[in-house]
Amino acid sequence: MEKNLTMDKLVSLSKSRGFIFPGSEIYGGMGNTWDYGPIGVEIKNNLKRAWWKRFVQESDNSFGIDAAILMNPTVWEASGHTTSFADPKLDCRECKTRHRADNLIEAHSKGKVNPDTMTTEEMESYIIEHKVACPHCGRFNWTPIRQFNLMFETSRGVTEDGQNKVYLRPETAQGEFVNFLNVQRTMRAKVPFGIAQIGKAFRNEITPGNFIFRTIEFEQMEHQLFCKEGDDEKFYNLYKEKAHSFLLDLGIDKEHLRFKDHDKLAHYARAACDIQYLFPIGWSELNGIHNRSNYDLSRHQEFSGKSMMYMDPITNEKYIPNVIEYSIGADRLMLAILCEAYHEETLEDGETRVVMKFHPAISAYKLAVLPLMKKNHSEKALELYHKLSKEFMCDYDESGSIGKRYRRHDEIGTPFCLTVDDETLNSGTVTIRDRDTMKQITLKIEEVEGYIKDKIKF
Ligand code: GAP
């Protein structure tokens, strides 16, 4: 990551190179919605694939699901979202903008006061005592703080009365809890086992922003580990470790990551922490790990009237398992990966190149196939492109000088560029240029597939 990286630079590169576009742009946009472009969608899919591989495929007793976004509304009563999934907000009476009280306090105290540990009354007193001004108009004339529920409501059926109110899920986790017994029975799973899911979540955030850091529609990758009382601490520590190694293995510098324990725990939680990343906006949450006791399954047992008991087949013991939750936003991870990959380098000729140094497994294209001269080399280059595209994502690029084509692929993070030239036609060899070192090697055509496959392993 570059020291002087700003969110504006990333937004601009993302737009110009097809990573991420502003949502509904031709209609003037729709605040804080973003559309992934051809390069961005590949990278995000690769991140999701890498996560699934690590937390489902390579994790013993871990099972994936894909639950519905719309759930029976009682789910959100059981989970506590209808009553307590709210942010403390207040309005500026002068300029009519809405703000989060906790954000105002955090910014005013320059991070020295932690609003997470404060009650609504304490936050109100702080704002009055310190005359915290509106960041938009600079005046001091606030409404009282009110709790603002973050769930998006919609209605099903043809009438719009309260009977038909449903919610867009604000997290994927509940789909995993309500399917606990379905998965346990069908997969003959024995505790400890995990359920994983990747999917969209929606939150009516009061202060979305900072590009894809906080949006109203986003994707989560969540994993619930169901374990026996007494084993929870061990699995909590294990998942802290697993979550951290996953980020390191994606190529994130360990100096850009840190653990942050939560200061205020929910009444049922035994422990909770975030892994924070050093975003251009400062240290901020990238993912969370929670030891949630048996609260979630107990609540669903209470509200559904269905037993959530697990019976140990060896000891015949019956109990409601505890849950260790690991949750990371796919878009927030995408942002961290974009920040981490971004480099500006001054070359020997004095030119600057922007290069996105993604882990090759994450890059959109693994290989760009470039004919040195369109007239002489395009036929062979296209033949190679079609052959190698069957194995991994390739791009074919014949427009502009070879130097310009290298720059374009540096900016989208293609780890390797293959050039077809006279040597290819005469002796069946190609040159492969490495994105990071810019060094070139010569390979026989038949060696290319194995060479690239070896480099893109995760
Ligand atoms: N089930 C637990 C849960 O949802 P969370 O801390 O609210 O916990 C988990 O969310 C992760 O989801 C966060 O660490 C973050 O990566 C991502 N996330 C949460 N809200 C988000 C938003 N508005 N925009 C983008 N990502 C978000």
Side-chain angles (χ1 to χ4, degrees):
M1 187 183 19
E2 285 298 314
K3 278 210 180 74
N4 58 357
L5 176 64
T6 60
M7 223 47 122
D8 286 347
K9 271 191 190 177
L10 271 189
V11 173
S12 155
L13 179 80
S14 293
K15 191 173 165 190
S16 66
R17 286 294 177 217
F19 290 99
I20 299 169
F21 308 121
S24 321
E25 199 182 5
I26 60 166
Y27 286 97
M30 150 109 181
N32 298 295
T33 62
W34 299 93
D35 296 342
Y36 283 74
I39 305 301
V41 71
E42 292 297 334
I43 295 174
K44 191 177 177 192
N45 282 343
N46 290 337
L47 286 172
K48 290 192 280 183
R49 259 193 289 271
W51 187 87
W52 196 264
K53 181 165 184 279
R54 183 63 57 91
F55 290 96
V56 179
Q57 185 180 326
E58 294 172 1
S59 285
D60 291 345
N61 294 325
S62 200
F63 307 96
I65 61 163
D66 184 12
I69 287 175
L70 300 175
M71 302 181 81
N72 185 312
T74 314
V75 167
W76 307 111
E77 282 170 42
S79 67
H81 282 82
T82 42
T83 47
S84 58
F85 190 57
D87 277 343
K89 60 125 217 216
L90 70 180
D91 293 337
C92 171
R93 289 199 180 101
E94 303 291 338
C95 69
K96 313 285 180 235
T97 52
R98 179 163 289 172
H99 302 268
R100 271 174 62 168
D102 49 345
N103 288 354
L104 290 178
I105 294 170
E106 209 165 358
H108 180 270
S109 67
K110 299 203 165 56
K112 290 202 185 87
V113 175
N114 183 356
D116 288 353
T117 57
M118 296 167 114
T119 61
T120 305
E121 292 70 33
E122 284 166 345
M123 283 195 269
E124 221 155 57
S125 304
Y126 181 98
I127 288 170
I128 293 168
E129 224 170 86
H130 294 83
K131 280 209 166 300
V132 179
C134 168
H136 190 249
C137 70
R139 282 174 284 184
F140 176 73
N141 187 5
W142 296 111
T143 61
I145 296 175
R146 276 177 297 150
Q147 294 295 329
F148 181 79
N149 196 293
L150 301 185
M151 280 201 293
F152 272 101
E153 288 175 14
T154 186
S155 48
R156 64 170 300 178
V158 284
T159 60
E160 283 194 12
D161 59 34
Q163 296 290 319
N164 297 311
K165 196 199 299 180
V166 288
Y167 301 97
L168 300 187
R169 67 180 175 199
E171 61 171 15
T172 58
Q174 299 304 323
E176 294 163 338
F177 297 137
V178 302
N179 281 295
F180 163 69
L181 284 178
N182 283 336
V183 173
Q184 191 269 319
R185 283 194 204 112
T186 50
M187 305 314 287
R188 290 167 292 132
K190 292 189 186 70
V191 168
F193 73 92
I195 304 184
Q197 162 160 236
I198 298 179
K200 289 266 185 179
F202 304 83
R203 294 182 191 178
N204 210 350
E205 300 276 7
I206 301 165
T207 51
N210 287 314
F211 194 24
I212 51 170
F213 180 82
R214 183 172 287 111
T215 48
I216 53 177
E217 173 184 344
F218 54 99
E219 257 180 303
Q220 287 187 314
M221 308 193 281
E222 298 202 286
H223 184 279
Q224 316 296 334
L225 190 278
F226 299 93
C227 66
K228 195 175 168 181
E229 169 79 24
D231 284 346
D232 48 323
E233 201 179 324
K234 176 180 83 187
F235 284 112
Y236 175 68
N237 289 325
L238 181 81
Y239 270 81
K240 277 174 74 173
E241 171 59 34
K242 278 186 83 156
H244 193 242
S245 344
F246 174 64
L247 298 172
L248 295 178
D249 292 348
L250 286 175
I252 298 184
D253 185 336
K254 69 175 186 321
E255 300 300 322
H256 298 158
L257 295 170
R258 70 177 188 194
F259 283 99
K260 174 88 173 59
D261 284 330
H262 286 196
D263 296 310
K264 197 165 83 179
L265 289 180
H267 64 91
Y268 52 82
R270 304 248 170 96
C273 71
D274 295 335
I275 296 181
Q276 297 184 328
Y277 176 74
L278 188 55
F279 289 100
I281 49 170
W283 286 105
S284 309
E285 176 184 346
L286 175 55
N287 69 227
I289 303 124
H290 298 209
N291 180 347
R292 301 178 58 88
S293 70
N294 67 4
Y295 176 79
D296 306 284
L297 293 183
S298 301
R299 292 279 289 186
H300 285 303
Q301 173 166 289
E302 184 188 335
F303 279 73
S304 68
K306 302 279 172 354
S307 168
M308 288 287 157
M309 290 278 184
Y310 167 77
M311 194 171 84
D312 187 306
I314 296 166
T315 63
N316 285 341
E317 221 182 322
K318 268 183 125 185
Y319 59 91
I320 299 181
N322 283 14
V323 165
I324 305 300
E325 177 179 73
Y326 156 51
S327 175
I328 181 163
D331 310 272
R332 200 159 298 173
L333 177 59
M334 174 87 182
L335 181 59
I337 291 294
L338 287 175
C339 294
E340 195 66 19
Y342 188 95
H343 287 80
E344 279 174 22
E345 291 176 357
T346 309
L347 303 176
E348 276 169 13
D349 61 6
E351 251 194 65
T352 306
R353 76 161 182 156
V354 170
V355 53
M356 297 298 280
K357 296 186 176 179
F358 300 117
H359 185 304
I362 300 307
S363 294
Y365 297 118
K366 311 306 178 197
L367 183 73
V369 179
L370 319 174
L372 184 63
M373 286 164 64
K374 188 173 163 185
K375 195 162 86 169
N376 301 346
H377 309 123
S378 59
E379 193 183 328
K380 186 70 187 168
L382 274 168
E383 180 194 314
L384 274 178
Y385 162 71
H386 287 128
K387 178 172 172 280
L388 293 168
S389 289
K390 292 191 197 307
E391 305 302 324
F392 35 76
M393 279 295 287
C394 295
D395 187 35
Y396 174 79
D397 192 352
E398 59 177 24
S399 57
S401 71
I402 196 84
K404 284 221 172 79
R405 283 181 269 168
Y406 283 159
R407 281 302 94 77
R408 202 155 47 222
H409 280 283
D410 287 344
E411 287 194 8
I412 60 171
T414 308
F416 303 102
C417 286
L418 176 158
T419 306
V420 173
D421 55 19
D422 285 345
E423 280 301 302
T424 317
L425 307 184
N426 297 333
S427 54
T429 59
V430 291
T431 57
I432 304 277
R433 173 197 182 257
D434 182 288
R435 174 196 65 200
D436 299 346
T437 62
M438 295 188 286
K439 297 228 163 69
Q440 306 204 5
I441 56 164
T442 303
L443 289 183
K444 290 195 191 121
I445 286 177
E446 50 288 5
E447 289 170 339
V448 174
E449 185 184 317
Y451 179 81
I452 302 291
K453 278 189 171 164
D454 192 48
K455 299 277 184 191
I456 62 178
K457 280 190 189 139
F458 178 76

